[in-house]
Amino acid sequence: MQSNRSPVPASLILPARRFSTLQIVWSVLFILTFLGSYRLAQVKPLLLFEPEGRRHIRTFVAGMFPPDLSWDFLSLLGRPIIETIQLSVMGTFMAVVIGLPLGLAATRSLTFTGILNARKGEDGRRRIVLIRKGGYLLARATLSLFRTIPEFVWAFMFVRAVGLGPFPGVLAIGISYAGMLGKVYSEILEHANPGPLEALQATGASRSAILLYGLLPQALPNLVSYTLYRWECAIRASTILGFVGAGGIGQQLEISMRMFNFNQVLTLVAILFVMVAGVDTLSAKIRSAILGRSNV
């Protein structure tokens, strides 16, 4: 008796996938690391639903309503709001001032490799290449150091150095964000399309002309976009830094939390939401203007 089922063509049969030993080892290590992290971090979501956890959450949420919209409280927030904005603006500005030159120095294609340094290599100036490579490594190490220490810890150190107030917050954001901005700047510049650079080099353009007309137009939109994103992050960071005495709306938030005035906390969170949304809208407008588009 013949079967009615037609045989599957050999071309449609997918080859059986085989995993290498290395892939299996990495998979097992990943699973063990995940399980170990889950255990060591004491992740217990059910704690939120236990009677004590439910009681604390209910007290906190019930205390938030209605939000405190009294004039006595709102009149206290003008200066902290302005301080938070100023802190984020100056912190981001300092981060750009520090991070941009370090990012340029940490870009391999700008310092000792790639099209921009091809002529230097041909000339056999190995000593200059070695010096530039040393500067490149030093810049990357500096950026890594800036990123390694969180802005909260930087703020603690600067409060010890210069005292309480917004200035240690500006320094904390400026240093920590400089590490992030510099790293991303160098990655954006290193991954630029080499085609336009090679075309300019073929016409005999100078190194500065290749930078100005080949590299910068490609990288500028991404550089601006990420810088504005960091400014938005700086608003949130400014709030956190208020908990260590850096001023701003975070300091008022810490006072309200400590005094169990949860209705004031809701008001402050709403104001913070409006500030972040406003910065996001303004960033979109700036990006649109720089990129020459009418709509974002």
Side-chain angles (χ1 to χ4, degrees):
M1 183 175 178
Q2 292 183 346
S3 173
N4 293 328
R5 299 177 60 183
S6 58
V8 179
S11 58
L12 297 181
I13 299 176
L14 295 175
R17 183 172 181 179
R18 295 180 179 178
F19 295 97
S20 65
T21 305
L22 186 61
Q23 287 176 319
I24 295 173
V25 170
W26 277 115
S27 300
V28 172
L29 285 176
F30 174 78
I31 293 171
L32 291 176
T33 303
F34 179 81
L35 293 177
S37 301
Y38 185 87
R39 181 181 176 81
L40 293 176
Q42 299 181 3
V43 179
K44 299 177 181 176
L46 293 179
L47 283 177
L48 292 170
F49 303 99
E50 290 185 350
E52 188 175 1
R54 291 202 306 269
R55 182 169 58 82
H56 288 312
I57 292 174
R58 190 165 51 246
T59 302
F60 182 73
V61 173
M64 294 174 73
F65 294 96
D68 189 350
L69 300 177
S70 64
W71 174 247
D72 290 340
F73 178 62
L74 294 179
S75 62
L76 298 175
L77 302 182
R79 182 172 178 177
I81 291 173
I82 294 173
E83 276 185 356
T84 300
I85 295 173
Q86 291 173 336
L87 203 155
S88 68
V89 170
M90 292 310 302
T92 307
F93 174 74
M94 181 177 290
V96 173
V97 170
I98 298 173
L100 182 58
L102 285 174
L104 294 175
T107 304
R108 186 192 300 263
S109 58
L110 292 181
T111 50
F112 62 96
T113 63
I115 297 170
L116 294 171
N117 297 286
R119 293 170 186 167
K120 299 291 182 185
E122 291 171 0
D123 293 338
R125 301 169 65 178
R126 297 188 180 279
R127 180 177 297 179
I128 295 178
V129 172
L130 286 175
I131 292 174
R132 290 184 175 183
K133 192 171 184 178
Y136 160 82
L137 294 174
L138 180 61
R140 292 194 71 85
T142 305
L143 291 174
S144 297
L145 175 63
F146 287 173
R147 291 196 311 277
T148 300
I149 303 174
E151 59 262 33
F152 201 72
V153 179
W154 278 118
F156 268 116
M157 291 192 287
F158 287 125
V159 164
R160 295 286 185 276
V162 300
L164 297 172
F167 186 50
V170 171
L171 292 172
I173 292 176
I175 295 296
S176 62
Y177 280 26
M180 302 174 196
L181 286 175
K183 180 178 185 294
V184 175
Y185 287 166
S186 65
E187 290 178 351
I188 291 173
L189 294 171
E190 283 185 355
H191 290 88
N193 183 7
L197 310 184
E198 293 173 350
L200 284 169
Q201 188 191 37
T203 62
S206 64
R207 194 166 184 260
S208 58
I210 294 174
L211 277 171
L212 190 60
Y213 299 106
L215 185 59
L216 189 60
Q218 289 189 64
L220 185 61
N222 288 330
L223 297 177
V224 172
S225 180
Y226 187 73
T227 303
L228 292 173
Y229 168 69
R230 272 294 143 198
W231 179 33
E232 180 186 326
C233 294
I235 290 282
R236 292 190 289 269
S238 304
T239 306
I240 296 173
L241 296 179
F243 282 77
V244 295
I249 200 170
Q251 193 164 2
Q252 182 60 48
L253 187 62
E254 192 268 339
I255 293 172
S256 297
M257 289 283 286
R258 188 152 36 89
M259 300 297 291
F260 299 100
N261 294 325
F262 300 135
N263 55 344
Q264 295 181 357
V265 172
L266 180 58
T267 304
L268 292 168
V269 170
I271 292 173
L272 184 62
F273 173 78
V274 172
M275 290 170 64
V276 172
V279 169
D280 183 48
T281 304
L282 182 60
S283 299
K285 296 288 184 185
I286 295 173
R287 272 194 297 268
S288 177
I290 291 176
L291 297 178
R293 293 181 297 181
S294 57
N295 297 314
V296 175

